[in-house]
């Protein structure tokens, strides 16, 4: 019994370490039909989406441009990636269906600039059985508490 617990702890620690060290992450929808892939290639963040093993979006770059042509995303490295399962469960006030019950897989991917201002932007990804959504989260940071976004690349 002690050996099984030790092996489980070792496996979990190995999985966490590999998520931290890798430049790629794969997130599958709960039914495994939709796959979201995130990768950093030569410092550039990219994503791909496939549905039932057919590519829908292929190697699309991720980046943000701020005022004065200040670009975030040209030379980044991913930080510690966290994965989670979730369920959206709520009632709609109007519409065809009144109840929403939607399972998803989620990843939070910190992207940090390697050089320059060394800013961090979080990419939050949710993969549902019927689609993918992601957003950028820009936490307040030293020397970066005010910005004007001009383009999402």
């Amino acid at each position: 019994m002690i050996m099984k617990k030790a092996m489980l702890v070792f496996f979990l620690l190995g999985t966490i370490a590999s998520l931290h060290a890798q430049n790629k992450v794969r997130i599958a929808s709960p039914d495994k039909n939709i796959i979201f892939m995130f990768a950093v290639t030569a410092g550039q963040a990219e994503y791909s989406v496939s549905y039932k093993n057919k590519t829908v979006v292929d190697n699309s770059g991720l980046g943000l441009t701020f005022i004065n042509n200040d670009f975030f995303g040209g030379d980044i490295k991913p930080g510690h990636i966290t994965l989670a399962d979730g369920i959206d469960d709520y009632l709609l006030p109007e519409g065809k269906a009144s109840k929403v019950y939607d399972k998803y897989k989620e990843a939070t991917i910190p992207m940090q600039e390697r050089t320059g201002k060394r800013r961090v932007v979080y990419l939050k990804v949710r993969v549902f059985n019927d689609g993918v959504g992601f957003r950028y989260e820009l936490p307040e940071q030293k020397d970066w508490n005010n910005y004007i976004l001009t383009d999402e690349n």
Side-chain angles (χ1 to χ4, degrees):
M1 181 70 162
I2 293 173
M3 181 63 126
K4 285 183 182 178
K5 286 183 182 178
M7 288 175 64
L8 178 61
V9 169
F10 180 72
F11 172 76
L12 289 174
L13 288 175
T15 301
I16 291 168
S18 71
L19 283 174
H20 180 68
Q22 67 187 356
N23 285 338
K24 295 181 179 183
V25 67
R26 178 183 183 273
I27 308 143
S29 60
D31 66 4
K32 310 285 190 261
N33 286 328
I34 299 176
I35 307 293
F36 178 94
M37 294 284 298
F38 169 87
V40 175
T41 306
Q44 174 65 50
E46 301 175 333
Y47 77 98
S48 300
V49 178
S50 64
Y51 175 69
K52 293 187 177 181
N53 296 318
K54 293 182 182 177
T55 301
V56 179
V57 177
D58 194 18
N59 299 328
S60 185
L62 294 165
L64 301 170
T65 303
F66 299 96
I67 199 162
N68 299 325
N69 210 26
D70 179 17
F71 181 69
F72 177 91
D75 188 18
I76 64 121
K77 64 180 179 178
H80 176 73
I81 298 166
T82 57
L83 303 173
D85 294 333
I87 298 173
D88 281 341
D89 189 11
Y90 55 90
L91 297 174
L92 293 172
E94 293 182 31
K96 184 177 161 183
S98 64
K99 182 155 177 57
V100 173
Y101 183 82
D102 212 0
K103 293 181 181 181
Y104 60 85
K105 302 285 185 173
E106 181 178 79
T108 302
I109 306 166
M111 302 183 295
Q112 181 176 17
E113 292 176 309
R114 293 177 193 259
T115 58
K117 298 176 183 175
R118 302 185 66 84
R119 299 170 290 194
V120 175
V121 171
Y122 292 90
L123 181 67
K124 187 87 127 188
V125 180
R126 285 190 178 174
V127 184
F128 299 85
N129 287 340
D130 61 353
V132 174
F134 64 85
R135 70 176 184 254
Y136 296 98
E137 294 180 351
L138 289 76
E140 187 174 332
Q141 298 166 58
K142 181 181 175 189
D143 299 327
W144 197 39
N145 56 11
N146 188 12
Y147 53 84
I148 298 173
L149 181 68
T150 59
D151 199 6
E152 180 181 347
N153 309 93

